[in-house]
Amino acid sequence: MESVDPATGAAIAEYDEHDTAAVDAALSTAADRFDSWSARAIQDRCRLLERTADLLRERTDEYATLMTREMGKPIGQARSEVEKCAWVCDYYAERAPEQLADEVVGTEADARTLVSYEPVGPVLAVMPWNFPFWQVFRFLAPTLAAGNVGLLKHASNVPGCALAIEEVLRDAGVPEGVFTTLLIGSDRVDDVIRDDRVRAVTLTGSEPAGRSVAATAGEALKKTVLELGGSDPFVVLDDAPVEATAEKAAFARTQNNGQSCIAAKRFVVHTDVYDEFVDAFAAELDALTVGDPTDEATDVGPQAREDLVADLHDQVQRSVDAGATLALGGEPLDREGPYYPPTLLTDVPEDAPAATEETFGPVAAVFEAEDDADALALANDTSFGLGASVWTADLDRGERFARGFDAGCCFVNEYVKSDPRVPFGGVKESGYGRELSRHGIREFVNRKTIWVQHGFGEDDGLGTVDDAGGAGVDLTDGGNGS
């Protein structure tokens, strides 16, 4: 695997792929480590997450620079990403013991019943390049806290980030084999999923990749969580403060160089403020600085690869051919590196690529809505359902509107974002399952029902129930447990 700086095209480093024997050894080690790791007190596991957070903060500049060099993220945003990874480690270090504590359930007066949340084993994570640290840490923090072990198949253009994540965990004291990077191509993922030592799979990526992983895992009856693409609506109602909203809209579309599944992509604007918003939005986009991602003044860096620019430009051209108006940008920049400028499309037909496909780059499509009902219909007119936002001066109106979104993450007067404290994930072709919060940490656990019946056999001397609710004798189920 070769790591290449997208801003310059210069090779950074080369890495040898893991051969079949190396992958087999990694899977065996992960399976072996699971027994000892899951047996450790959760407080011990959480202390190692705290140490990981400390090291991330100490190495913020180092890891931010690595991200920027491997995939072109503006350096300021890269630093924020490292800090967010430290936050999610701290969050689960504090909250995991509570989130995974036994849940006592009231059933019958003469029984003690509870749900125990127990780890399932090695979990494979297939992760993308666009947030090369955060996507991994929002998986690994809850997964390791729960007592599972992790295996990472990262995107092939960020191998340095993948190995750095493994390194920081090792340096924090996480035992070897509890989290392992597999340097393999996408063509070898299916074999890893099918391996009996792997018990579950999570993927963040495209909708086709999600279908492929889900199909393979489904054949093996393995749990999956999928966070796929998005074409998030950004709805501007007639009472929204236009200038302030346009400023938010520009960042919501161009964060991470526009390469984010939760970036706003379709801007649905009430007719009463449509012209004013389009003018303000165009001005905000035009004022952004496109350039060297290592420069602190840069707002938008390069796209991660040349082929991504070609795909994005093709979507823009096909949208214009379908009848959209090109109001800003629309041509790859004539400079070294895969740079695409902030681009604005208006009058976008409902069947144009900018309306029906995910545009993974700084391209915004604006749609005019007659009223709230029309705006909501336009917002939901997509096969995706990851995130959505609405902007209004009336918070009650905004909340009512947000409840109508057909999406997993809905915001009022805030751009869509992931936060360790709330669940993250989508519906429809944006995937299923949730990451983060207590909902995320419970995805890869066995929700085990434990029923302790009081009084059985007391007269026969077969067993008693002690004060803690545990049976005084080991009774073996001779049936199928149903």
Side-chain angles (χ1 to χ4, degrees):
M1 292 182 182
E2 186 177 41
S3 177
V4 177
D5 186 338
T8 65
I12 301 170
E14 289 187 354
Y15 303 85
D16 291 333
E17 285 197 26
H18 289 149
D19 60 18
T20 300
V23 171
D24 181 70
L27 295 179
S28 292
T29 300
D32 290 341
R33 291 293 182 274
F34 171 66
D35 290 337
S36 57
W37 180 249
S38 60
R40 293 182 72 156
I42 190 171
Q43 290 79 8
D44 289 343
R45 300 196 295 262
C46 289
R47 276 192 285 272
L48 293 177
L49 284 180
E50 289 179 338
R51 177 56 181 154
T52 301
D54 292 340
L55 289 179
L56 285 168
R57 292 188 176 97
E58 291 175 13
R59 302 174 184 180
T60 295
D61 287 341
E62 174 188 348
Y63 292 152
T65 299
L66 176 60
M67 277 190 277
T68 296
R69 292 189 69 200
E70 283 203 316
M71 53 74 59
K73 184 189 303 289
I75 189 65
Q77 295 179 31
R79 290 195 196 95
S80 296
E81 182 167 336
V82 179
E83 292 165 1
K84 193 170 185 177
C85 294
W87 179 24
V88 77
C89 289
D90 281 339
Y91 172 81
Y92 279 110
E94 177 185 356
R95 297 298 183 89
E98 167 197 336
Q99 293 167 343
L100 296 176
D102 289 347
E103 179 182 347
V104 177
V105 180
T107 53
E108 298 179 3
D110 58 349
R112 180 173 185 265
T113 48
L114 58 91
V115 179
S116 176
Y117 299 98
E118 302 179 4
V120 295
V123 181
L124 172 67
V126 182
M127 291 293 153
W129 48 263
N130 56 334
F131 290 91
F133 268 63
W134 171 243
Q135 303 279 15
V136 178
F137 270 91
R138 77 183 191 201
F139 151 75
L140 76 82
T143 297
L144 299 193
N148 296 307
V149 299
L151 297 158
L152 171 64
K153 187 283 179 225
H154 217 327
S156 296
N157 60 330
V158 289
C161 290
L163 292 172
I165 293 169
E166 184 177 327
E167 171 192 62
V168 73
L169 289 167
R170 192 80 52 79
D171 291 349
V174 175
E176 181 180 0
V178 170
F179 187 87
T180 305
T181 286
L182 303 178
L183 292 180
I184 59 174
S186 298
D187 58 331
R188 298 171 64 190
V189 169
D190 282 356
D191 290 339
V192 177
I193 295 174
R194 292 189 182 100
D195 194 286
D196 289 341
R197 290 165 290 189
V198 173
R199 300 310 310 144
V201 187
T202 183
L203 172 136
T204 298
S206 68
E207 178 264 334
R211 289 185 184 275
S212 175
V213 164
T216 302
E219 291 175 358
L221 296 178
K222 295 180 181 179
K223 172 74 178 288
T224 53
V225 169
L226 304 179
E227 193 268 281
L228 308 179
S231 187
D232 289 7
F234 184 108
V235 178
V236 183
L237 300 183
D238 56 330
D239 61 350
V242 172
E243 294 293 334
T245 304
E247 182 180 358
K248 290 284 190 179
F251 179 78
R253 175 60 283 216
T254 61
Q255 61 171 313
N256 204 48
N257 304 336
Q259 299 169 127
S260 171
C261 52
I262 55 171
K265 299 182 177 76
R266 296 177 300 120
F267 296 80
V268 179
V269 185
H270 193 286
T271 186
D272 289 352
V273 294
Y274 179 83
D275 291 336
E276 183 184 0
F277 177 81
V278 168
D279 289 344
F281 190 23
E284 291 287 347
L285 291 173
D286 194 39
L288 296 174
T289 299
V290 181
D292 180 357
T294 65
D295 188 331
E296 298 287 352
T298 293
D299 299 303
V300 181
Q303 302 299 281
R305 300 191 309 265
E306 291 283 357
D307 62 298
L308 298 174
V309 169
D311 292 343
L312 185 65
H313 188 51
D314 176 66
Q315 289 175 308
V316 171
Q317 288 183 313
R318 287 187 289 121
S319 295
V320 172
D321 291 344
T325 299
L326 183 62
L328 182 72
E331 289 289 341
L333 296 180
D334 185 15
R335 58 180 297 172
E336 183 181 22
Y339 286 88
Y340 205 83
T343 295
L344 182 61
L345 297 170
T346 60
D347 308 313
V348 181
E350 62 182 17
D351 59 348
T356 62
E357 301 174 9
E358 179 178 24
T359 51
F360 215 64
V363 174
V366 186
F367 304 81
E368 187 171 359
E370 296 179 359
D371 52 29
D372 285 20
D374 186 34
L376 186 61
L378 285 168
N380 289 336
D381 186 21
T382 174
S383 60
F384 296 104
L386 186 53
S389 65
V390 59
W391 302 77
T392 174
D394 185 337
L395 298 185
D396 290 336
R397 181 187 185 191
E399 184 171 340
R400 289 194 301 272
F401 202 100
R403 290 181 181 275
F405 281 134
D406 194 6
C409 306
C410 304
F411 289 74
V412 179
N413 295 341
E414 180 66 291
Y415 48 80
V416 179
K417 58 187 178 182
S418 55
D419 183 305
R421 298 165 294 188
V422 294
F424 180 82
V427 296
K428 299 192 289 188
E429 290 186 6
S430 290
Y432 52 74
R434 291 295 179 265
E435 297 177 293
L436 302 176
S437 77
R438 67 180 180 87
H439 301 278
I441 200 171
R442 292 181 178 181
E443 286 285 5
F444 295 119
V445 295
N446 175 15
R447 298 170 176 85
K448 179 187 290 184
T449 295
I450 297 177
W451 184 299
V452 182
Q453 187 67 42
H454 292 216
F456 175 72
E458 287 183 351
D459 294 338
D460 300 324
L462 293 178
T464 60
V465 177
D466 61 29
D467 291 339
V473 66
D474 181 16
L475 302 178
T476 302
D477 181 4
N480 62 12
S482 298

